[in-house]
């Protein structure tokens, strides 16, 4: 087969695959945050940032922008873009400076059994090629366009993960792309799939970022992953009292004999009265929950 014909066939097949991929309805698209207002580095008003973001969404060919007043056959996703920072940085071993733009994109959908809420983040960067205000602004615009493509791609990955079966997501936990692994893990944790717990526990050991730790703890609590209780107990060692109180309540929410024993020990003997009080409160809540479950079970037995 001739190379030109082969190339043409590949292009046609690629277009067919794209056309078969699901598109996600979006309405509205909002831009928030003080960084996009009066930002001389960007030189763009919020409307300009929103226009660039809308272009990125359309270029992906995976989002369908709906009018605010149009018919809603399918529940649309609400997208809120925040640009928390724009900055110029230096890198080791490179004489140039770099423009960096951060972005957080929140995806929300309402109207079903439960509201859906997801967040993706990105960091765009570009070298400053000309040491002048216009050169810095050009680099900042390039970094902005880069991060908008990043969060758009990540949003597609997140929403695509929601459409996949558990079996496919478990396979994607071994994918080469870290983002694919992350969104597969998020979705499995949301579905309380047992394959997610060990990976979330590994994250507790590996991460030192407070936000990451709190999100991971929250996912384990949602899963009621009793296997994670020892890891949460270990995480409390050497932490400040405020964080220990958060862990105490998390352990109480998960429950189980090991959680109960830990809470009793902390309530009786921790050095900080506030932590003792938190453990006692979590323990009482755990007792009350257990009694409620037992009473419900007895009621079902009598009904049978």
């Amino acid at each position: 087969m001739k190379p030109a014909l082969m190339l043409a066939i590949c292009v046609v097949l690629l277009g067919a695959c794209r056309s078969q991929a699901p598109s996600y309805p979006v309405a509205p698209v909002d831009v928030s945050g003080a960084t996009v207002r009066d930002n001389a580095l960007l030189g763009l008003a919020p409307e300009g940032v929103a226009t660039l973001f809308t272009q990125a969404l359309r270029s992906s060919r995976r989002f369908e922008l709906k009018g605010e007043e149009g018919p809603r056959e399918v529940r649309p996703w609400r997208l809120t873009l925040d640009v928390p920072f724009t900055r110029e940085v230096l890198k080791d071993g490179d004489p140039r400076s770099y423009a960096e733009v951060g972005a957080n994109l929140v995806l929300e959908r309402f109207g079903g059994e439960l509201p859906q809420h997801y967040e993706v983040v990105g960091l765009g960067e570009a070298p400053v090629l000309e040491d002048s205000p216009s050169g810095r602004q050009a680099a900042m615009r390039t970094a902005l366009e880069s991060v908008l493509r990043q969060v758009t791609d990540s949003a597609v990955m997140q929403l695509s993960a929601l459409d996949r079966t558990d079996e496919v997501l478990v396979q994607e936990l071994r994918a080469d792309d870290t983002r694919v692994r992350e969104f597969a893990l998020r979705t499995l944790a949301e579905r309380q799939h047992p394959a997610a717990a060990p990976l979330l526990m590994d994250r507790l050991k590996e991460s030192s970022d407070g936000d990451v730790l709190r999100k991971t703890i929250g996912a384990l609590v949602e899963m009621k992953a009793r296997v994670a209780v020892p890891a949460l107990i270990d995480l409390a060692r050497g932490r400040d009292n405020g964080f220990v109180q958060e862990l105490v309540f998390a352990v109480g929410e998960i429950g189980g004999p090991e959680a109960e024993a830990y809470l009793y020990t902390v309530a009786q003997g921790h050095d900080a009265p506030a932590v003792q009080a938190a453990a006692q409160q979590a323990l009482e809540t755990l007792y009350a929950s257990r009694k409620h479950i037992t009473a419900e079970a007895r009621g079902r037995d009598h009904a049978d």
Side-chain angles (χ1 to χ4, degrees):
M1 185 178 293
K2 294 182 179 180
L5 181 57
M6 177 67 77
L7 178 60
I9 292 174
C10 290
V11 170
V12 170
L13 290 175
L14 179 60
C17 290
R18 280 201 168 194
S19 65
Q20 293 172 5
S23 61
Y24 303 103
V26 172
V29 175
D30 294 327
V31 175
S32 67
T35 303
V36 294
R37 295 192 296 270
D38 300 323
N39 189 320
L41 285 174
L42 277 178
L44 285 173
E47 294 78 12
V49 176
T51 297
L52 290 177
F53 182 41
T54 300
Q55 290 173 357
L57 294 173
R58 287 198 171 110
S59 295
S60 74
R61 300 174 66 182
R62 297 295 302 276
F63 292 96
E64 184 180 356
L65 277 70
K66 301 285 189 180
E68 288 277 6
E69 306 301 328
R72 299 292 176 88
E73 298 87 356
V74 180
R75 290 185 297 133
W77 288 92
R78 179 190 183 99
L79 304 187
T80 304
L81 176 73
D82 179 30
V83 180
F85 64 83
T86 57
R87 63 194 180 196
E88 188 175 349
V89 299
L90 296 174
K91 297 188 176 184
D92 292 340
D94 194 329
R96 302 173 298 179
S97 62
Y98 281 76
E100 289 189 347
V101 178
N104 299 338
L105 178 62
V106 174
L107 303 91
E108 298 173 295
R109 186 162 66 170
F110 305 96
E113 293 182 5
L114 292 172
Q116 294 174 280
H117 179 102
Y118 304 97
E119 183 176 351
V120 298
V121 299
L123 174 65
E125 64 175 19
V128 178
L129 301 177
E130 181 184 327
D131 187 12
S132 67
S134 61
R136 288 180 172 81
Q137 189 174 92
M140 204 63 68
R141 294 275 186 93
T142 301
L144 174 63
E145 291 170 358
S146 172
V147 78
L148 293 179
R149 289 192 297 270
Q150 283 181 38
V151 294
T152 297
D153 290 345
S154 294
V156 170
M157 289 182 179
Q158 172 65 84
L159 298 180
S160 297
L162 301 180
D163 296 331
R164 292 191 171 94
T165 64
D166 289 356
E167 291 76 15
V168 172
L169 291 171
V170 169
Q171 293 175 357
E172 289 185 346
L173 292 175
R174 298 186 293 273
D176 293 333
D177 191 321
T178 56
R179 293 180 301 171
V180 172
R181 296 199 302 269
E182 172 64 23
F183 296 128
L185 177 57
R186 284 189 193 182
T187 307
L188 287 170
E190 185 179 62
R191 296 177 186 177
Q192 301 186 12
H193 192 283
L199 296 174
L200 292 171
M201 290 160 58
D202 288 343
R203 185 170 293 178
L204 290 179
K205 300 173 186 175
E206 296 166 358
S207 179
S208 58
D209 183 273
D211 288 339
V212 171
L213 288 175
R214 286 181 174 87
K215 288 179 181 178
T216 304
I217 293 167
L220 290 167
V221 169
E222 287 293 323
M223 294 178 66
K224 299 291 185 184
R226 292 187 177 184
V227 68
V229 168
L232 294 172
I233 293 172
D234 288 341
L235 190 62
R237 294 191 175 95
R239 301 282 178 168
D240 65 82
N241 290 336
F243 191 74
V244 173
Q245 289 180 65
E246 293 180 47
L247 287 169
V248 159
F249 286 118
V251 168
E253 283 288 324
I254 293 173
E258 197 163 3
E260 186 175 329
Y262 171 71
L263 293 175
Y264 179 82
T265 301
V266 173
Q268 296 299 313
H270 198 278
D271 295 337
V275 175
Q276 280 188 330
Q280 185 62 42
Q281 182 180 344
L283 192 60
E284 291 171 359
T285 302
L286 182 58
Y287 287 155
S289 175
R290 190 169 62 194
K291 288 179 181 177
H292 178 69
I293 292 172
T294 302
E296 280 191 342
R298 286 174 180 167
R300 285 195 298 269
D301 290 341
H302 287 308
D304 294 340

